[in-house]
Amino acid sequence: MSPESIEVLISLLFPLVLLIGTYLIGTLLERRHFTDLRAREEHFRGFPAITFENLPAGWEATSSDVVQGSVVVSLDYFKRFIAALRALVGGRVKSYEPLLDRARREANLRMIEDATSRGFHAVINVRLETSRMASARGDGKGTAGIEILAYGTAIRLASPPS
Amino acid sequence: MQFPIIVTNTETVPGRQIVEFYGVVTGNSVRAKHVGRDIMAGLKNLVGGELKGYTELLQESRQEAAGRMVEQAQSMGANAVVNLRFATSSIAQGAAELFAYGTAVRVE
């Protein structure tokens, strides 16, 4: 093979290897994260984190403080590529859905962990917020990551649920 | 996030009565990512998932913004901040403003 053809081969092969490599690693990491999320959600089942602003009837709070959890996530290279292709024809961008789903669940769990580690019994008025972090690239395009913030008011109850 | 006074994002402090209103208190913090973090995040961007450097960065700046808000409330003589809200805005390339605001009150 001539040096030129090898060069062409490499320039074609590199993006392909990158796509396949990031797809495999990204998928593995995502699967692991979902397993971890399910285990932690199971652990905190029964801990009330609710979106009501007011205390449900019968609850008597003794103290309260704000608690929060946040996470910044990004898509892998392969899924960004797929999302960009999808944007050409429009429609449901499936590659972003699991990403945002796991980010919200992660932020929510971190908030609950913040509350339980400080001895609170419940969180009320839970709010979820999403914001995009722009990348520092010169042209101002591109997204460095998406931040999900979960926050709420944690309360201690006079008669904690057993 | 822990503060020397009570902070809630509800309109009241659960279980307590508000006796006096002092008005809106605010706090902000503008942070840029440093290059090292940006490079690490750029690499992490290939495989996706959490960008821990950015999570920490935003946590720190939100903490700082809320801390300033609490300081302002304390200087007014308040002992609680209710109806806390957070806002984030991209103001320049690679920099973000984290903003916290709420209502300073006195509870009994």
Side-chain angles (χ1 to χ4, degrees), chain B residues 34-107:
Chain B
H34 74 66
V35 179
R37 263 181 178 154
D38 238 24
I39 292 169
M40 279 310 292
L43 290 177
K44 194 69 212 291
N45 242 323
L46 289 178
V47 292
E50 182 180 4
L51 310 173
K52 283 216 176 69
Y54 286 168
T55 305
E56 279 162 26
L57 179 88
L58 291 178
Q59 279 288 355
E60 284 161 19
S61 18
R62 191 167 288 118
Q63 177 95 42
E64 196 175 309
R68 286 183 187 156
M69 179 197 72
V70 165
E71 270 168 36
Q72 198 190 339
Q74 281 180 302
S75 70
M76 287 169 148
N79 66 356
V81 175
V82 295
N83 218 5
L84 168 74
R85 296 279 179 269
F86 288 114
T88 316
S89 44
S90 276
I91 53 157
Q93 279 159 23
E97 187 199 26
L98 279 289
F99 182 54
Y101 61 105
T103 304
V105 296
R106 171 163 289 281
V107 294

Side-chain angles (χ1 to χ4, degrees), chain A residues 91-111:
Chain A
R92 188 172 166 194
V93 189
K94 264 192 199 150
S95 55
Y96 269 103
E97 288 172 354
L99 178 80
L100 292 171
D101 175 41
R102 68 190 168 121
R104 289 222 171 80
R105 285 161 70 181
E106 178 70 43
N108 191 41
L109 277 170
R110 284 184 186 178
M111 180 194 70

Side-chain angles (χ1 to χ4, degrees), chain A residues 124-144:
Chain A
I124 60 168
N125 205 26
V126 175
R127 295 288 177 263
L128 288 163
E129 265 170 41
T130 313
S131 56
R132 171 184 162 268
M133 274 187 86
S135 79
R137 249 166 61 183
D139 55 8
K141 280 190 209 155
T143 302

